[in-house]
């Protein structure tokens, strides 16, 4: 890809709407000047915000609509009233029409997935979509998928998740052969679900140039960074992700209260404040903001709805990487190569 | 229960064997002097260790066997070679025979569950066993079950988990009507799995004096302590538990490295060391050690294999509470009361 990376933004999405979206885009633009934006939303809102951001204005084209999807709208409702004309739909539509390489929205996850599926359709060879996220680990970052797009997974879907996740890891982490693990439990003799065992056999049997399959991993392997890509179906993945977020919040709260309880602790905090800042940065959920919708004919990134400009910029950066390093082409190639063994798995399962 | 609480210990279980088991029992005995122990294991090992622990020796009876289950033995193997004669089996057997109120082992989880199921059998009205654990939260502690005994759950089993978990919460937390939530994901319009929705309807429909059903909770509600009892099937529960453990380890490691990076941080650490100690205590996994096997005709507690005396004592304390406050009788009563609506659920599902 030699042209600019073209990113369509749902300017009205998220808890804070256009102010955060535009500030985030501006920030990302300083890091990737070879980006152009399509800003979809209410011109009356976007116009004044762009006035103070000349660099962003120069890199952007505004597509007006006054229909925005609410954060609490049901996906079916959103699809009914927002199709063809909402800012979310039109951002996805820009990808569909080839006017943008990627769409980013901080809006309602369910509505975004429903519209993306409806409009972009599944890639050939992929049965269901997935959401992949970056997960900070002791070794850096890993990719975990699916964190909530589809509930349950058969052998085929688990194998597809491994393929899509490893393609994404090769793009994001610049790795030739990312390591991949299947999330499982370790306490039972006959470990885990039938389909996970079967998927493991298929993945072991695949002579994979593009992934290094390491077998099963457990919940505590995610944070340890044992593998680059952790594969699981969306129910378990979503619960693992939110459980980890809850645990991080809980420990941050313990730390805060411990550090403010006594005078000595407060003095200690002052001395160590740079260290606490480093720690806070390390735990900053904004830095790994952005769920990548995988399996569709187009790249869509979901930003956390409640994030700020820094967080939204991280989601835009992620979209930039996905487009610049040609995620979809990589997934397509790998799916093609893996078609034979995946089909064998279908027979075996 | 007016007599002493009688606890059977698998003295050979765990990574460190009898030394940790006896030290833990001794510690728990100082907190609950109305305990008597049956110590099952190799007399030649136990005898000398008891010599230095007169209080424990006075409260204990040793049952000799030189067969011990290995930590890595497969459950079926363990059952084959260890039935009737291993320290693990004989501790469970003491419960079976009514000689002990509860058995505690730090041995191999799979083997312990296999033996407990085989020997104690399921309670009437319970289809499958579960493992419940205490989970530290921002509000104190919650109970999470199942964390790995059974994979998958139908409506009936989820309802039974809610009943058993709330009975355990009433015992451990001394609550009349513990709050109960079903673990689910929140991003889909049609939220979660069919059986979880159906179980929610059954639990809502049950006029429950013994639990306050709060509907669905998400992964981050566990650490927040939103409900007293979090119900999920064993696959997801095990992954949530291990993911949280992994996240806690990860953050502790970040904190440690941040506090040792600069001189100022080290000085800060010295000032705040009491606060860090409080924090460490709060995060101490040993204090909430012990998985309770639920659904069997007898109480069995699984301690972490790698724990120390303090951790093993926590598991023994937990066993003491379960016996003293008559967990099984409570579960039995509640199952009886709930039999009608639970059966209705079966028809509906």
């Amino acid at each position: 890809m030699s042209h600019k990376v073209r990113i369509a933004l749902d300017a009205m999405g998220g808890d804070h709407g256009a102010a955060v979206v535009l500030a985030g885009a501006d920030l990302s633009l300083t890091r990737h000047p070879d980006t152009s934006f399509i800003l979809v939303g209410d011109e009356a809102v976007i116009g004044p915000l762009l006035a103070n951001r000349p660099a962003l204005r120069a890199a952007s084209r505004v597509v007006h609509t006054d229909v925005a999807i609410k954060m609490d709208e049901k996906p079916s409702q959103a699809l009914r009233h927002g199709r063809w004309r909402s800012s979310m739909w039109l951002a996805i539509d820009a990808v569909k029409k080839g006017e943008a390489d990627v769409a980013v929205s901080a809006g309602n996850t369910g509505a975004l997935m429903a519209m993306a599926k409806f409009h972009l359709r599944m890639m050939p060879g992929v049965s269901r979509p997935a959401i992949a996220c970056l997960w900070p680990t002791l070794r850096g970052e890993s990719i975990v998928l699916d964190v909530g797009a589809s509930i349950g997974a058969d052998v085929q879907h688990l194998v597809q998740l491994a393929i899509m996740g490893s393609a994404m890891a090769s793009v994001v982490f610049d790795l030739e052969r990312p390591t991949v693990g299947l999330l499982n439990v370790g306490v039972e003799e006959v470990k885990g679900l039938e389909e996970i065992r079967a998927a493991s056999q298929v993945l072991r049997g695949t002579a994979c140039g593009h992934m290094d399959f390491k077998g099963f991993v457990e919940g505590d392997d995610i944070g340890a960074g044992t593998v680059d890509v952790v594969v699981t179906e969306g129910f378990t993945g979503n619960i693992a992700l939110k459980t980890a977020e809850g645990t991080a919040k809980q420990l941050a709260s313990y730390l805060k209260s411990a550090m403010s309880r006594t005078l000595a602790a407060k003095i200690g905090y002052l001395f160590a404040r740079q260290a606490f800042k480093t720690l806070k940065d390390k735990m900053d959920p904004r830095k790994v903001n952005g769920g990548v919708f995988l399996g569709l004919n187009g790249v869509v990134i979901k930003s956390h709805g409640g994030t700020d400009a820094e967080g939204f910029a991280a989601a835009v950066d992620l979209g930039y990487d996905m487009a610049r390093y040609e995620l979809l082409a990589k997934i397509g190639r790998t799916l093609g190569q893996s078609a034979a063994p995946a089909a064998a798995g279908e027979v075996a399962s």
Side-chain angles (χ1 to χ4, degrees), chain A residues 183-332:
Chain A
L183 195 58
N184 202 346
V185 298
V187 294
E188 296 273 298
E189 176 166 29
V190 180
K191 281 178 189 166
L193 301 158
E194 187 58 45
E195 57 270 27
I196 297 177
R197 286 207 306 281
S200 169
Q201 277 175 349
V202 174
L203 289 168
R204 267 186 210 293
T206 311
C208 267
H210 46 79
M211 77 170 89
D212 179 10
F213 180 62
K214 295 290 190 189
F216 299 136
V217 294
E218 295 193 53
D220 51 350
D221 287 307
I222 310 176
T226 308
V227 288
D228 299 314
V229 181
V230 176
V231 172
T232 186
E233 57 77 39
F235 186 84
T236 307
N238 184 271
I239 283 170
L241 177 64
K242 291 203 171 148
T243 301
E245 284 172 356
T247 305
K249 262 189 222 162
Q250 186 184 350
L251 299 189
S253 158
Y254 288 166
L255 182 61
K256 200 175 164 189
S257 91
M259 285 301 131
S260 57
R261 200 169 289 141
T262 64
L263 182 61
K266 286 178 191 163
I267 295 172
Y269 180 80
L270 287 180
F271 271 100
R273 65 187 179 280
Q274 193 53 46
F276 281 107
K277 203 187 156 302
T278 308
L279 182 68
K280 209 176 158 190
D281 283 354
K282 194 121 197 174
M283 289 174 60
D284 190 348
R286 297 176 306 171
K287 302 224 165 147
V288 288
N289 181 31
V292 180
F293 289 7
L294 294 175
L296 305 168
N297 292 308
V299 184
V300 176
I301 309 276
K302 166 68 173 78
S303 160
H304 258 293
T307 197
D308 62 6
E310 186 68 62
F312 194 79
V316 176
D317 290 345
L318 192 59
Y320 175 93
D321 281 351
M322 298 296 116
R324 177 53 79 206
Y325 305 106
E326 301 183 328
L327 173 69
L328 287 192
K330 272 200 182 149
I331 294 177

Side-chain angles (χ1 to χ4, degrees), chain A residues 29 51 83 104 309:
Chain A
L29 182 63
R83 209 187 312 167
V104 183

Side-chain angles (χ1 to χ4, degrees), chain A residues 116-141:
Chain A
K117 256 169 87 170
F118 188 93
H119 203 32
L120 299 175
R121 305 279 160 183
M122 303 305 303
M123 284 181 86
V126 179
S127 49
R128 299 163 79 193
I131 303 178
C133 75
L134 292 177
W135 190 299
T137 74
L138 283 175
R139 287 181 52 240
E141 281 173 4

